[in-house]
Amino acid sequence: FLGSHTMNIPQDNKTQYLLRISFPMMLSWLSCVLMVFVDRMFLANFSKEALAAAVAAGMSAWTFTFAAQTLAELSEIYVAQYNGAGKFEKLGACTWQMLYVAAFSILLFTPLAFLGESFYQNSINGLNKANYFKWLTLAGPFNVVLGSLMGFFVGQGKTFIITKAFILGNLVNVILDPLFIFGFEPILDSHGITGAAIATNIGLISQCLYLAYFFFSKENKEKLGTAKFSFRPSLLKADRKSTRLNSSH
């Protein structure tokens, strides 16, 4: 599954080990759900219209952003592949290929955000729906970045760092949500449902920055090639001859 430098799989308790590896991955999605719940909790105290708009437009936005994040998390397959084969210098380079996907996704999410805005504006409670959808969708590329960086660490079995990243992101969201939704006069005006989306986006970006800090550490640059950012899509091809079984998929 993974290189011995990363972990030592206990042969007598594989179930417990599997749970230890998979729990932070499950927690990552629970973290996203928690952000949605916190948004709705504060918006319910702001106005019924804002809550209804968050439910309707939020589901649409998350459908696109979560799908893109799931695609980016496929980077863990290639990281585990090269890690198991002992080609540690390629771990960072194959992650970079997914980060390029994140950059290209701007071309998808930007027009999608404004198309969705136009679509919702003509519906009931349209302005609230349009604003919430637009701001969440504009942050879509950061979901792809997050999925890519998650794959780098999950592919090595370093899952606890992901847990800490999602705790950080949710704390940021919980703190900023009431400030951006209700305002903090005279310093910050109330932004309602738009403020909820912006707070969630900042929480998402904080997760990306936290993982990026460790991704670009000196040790990872030297040993795992995280500074090798050349565009090489060929790295995402299966190498069956040199790769051990990736039992996580």
Side-chain angles (χ1 to χ4, degrees):
F1 170 27
L2 299 175
S4 59
H5 79 292
T6 304
M7 63 184 73
N8 183 17
I9 300 177
Q11 297 298 321
D12 58 341
N13 201 350
K14 292 184 178 180
T15 301
Q16 181 180 354
Y17 182 77
L18 179 61
L19 288 174
R20 182 169 68 85
I21 292 296
S22 61
F23 179 73
M25 299 164 64
M26 293 185 287
L27 185 63
S28 71
W29 289 105
L30 289 175
S31 168
C32 297
V33 173
L34 181 59
M35 284 192 178
V36 174
F37 172 76
V38 170
D39 276 3
R40 294 178 182 179
M41 181 181 69
F42 284 113
L43 288 172
N45 288 280
F46 181 76
S47 75
K48 294 180 180 179
E49 292 77 15
L51 174 61
V55 173
M59 289 299 294
S60 299
W62 291 115
T63 297
F64 294 108
T65 57
F66 282 0
Q69 181 174 329
T70 302
L71 174 64
E73 287 175 14
L74 292 176
S75 62
E76 71 185 67
I77 298 175
Y78 304 102
V79 171
Q81 169 182 294
Y82 290 116
N83 191 61
K87 299 180 179 180
F88 308 125
E89 72 283 354
K90 292 186 176 181
L91 269 59
C94 68
T95 302
W96 265 105
Q97 307 315 303
M98 283 298 185
L99 290 174
Y100 281 121
V101 173
F104 294 143
S105 72
I106 295 173
L107 301 176
L108 168 66
F109 284 110
T110 300
L112 179 63
F114 291 99
L115 284 172
E117 181 185 31
S118 299
F119 172 78
Y120 280 116
Q121 279 180 343
N122 297 321
S123 64
I124 299 174
N125 197 16
L127 183 60
N128 280 328
K129 292 178 182 177
N131 286 334
Y132 197 62
F133 180 87
K134 180 180 71 174
W135 283 101
L136 288 181
T137 308
L138 283 174
F142 288 102
N143 285 92
V144 185
V145 170
L146 182 62
S148 303
L149 294 176
M150 282 176 58
F152 174 78
F153 293 103
V154 172
Q156 300 175 73
K158 299 177 180 178
T159 54
F160 186 60
I161 188 174
I162 295 173
T163 302
K164 293 190 287 185
F166 284 105
I167 291 174
L168 171 65
N170 277 276
L171 285 175
V172 170
N173 186 51
V174 168
I175 293 171
L176 294 183
D177 250 346
L179 294 176
F180 282 24
I181 293 172
F182 300 101
F184 190 71
E185 299 292 349
I187 300 174
L188 184 65
D189 293 333
S190 170
H191 293 283
I193 193 170
T194 299
I198 294 174
T200 298
N201 290 346
I202 294 175
L204 169 65
I205 294 170
S206 70
Q207 294 169 345
C208 295
L209 292 175
Y210 182 83
L211 294 179
Y213 174 79
F214 293 98
F215 179 77
F216 289 111
S217 68
K218 182 178 180 181
E219 181 180 4
N220 284 340
K221 286 181 179 179
E222 293 176 351
K223 296 181 180 181
L224 305 182
T226 58
K228 297 179 180 179
F229 51 84
S230 58
F231 185 62
R232 297 171 60 192
S234 60
L235 288 171
L236 301 184
K237 293 181 180 179
D239 185 0
R240 297 180 180 179
K241 294 183 179 180
S242 61
T243 306
R244 302 172 189 174
L245 177 63
N246 179 6
S247 61
S248 66
H249 293 274

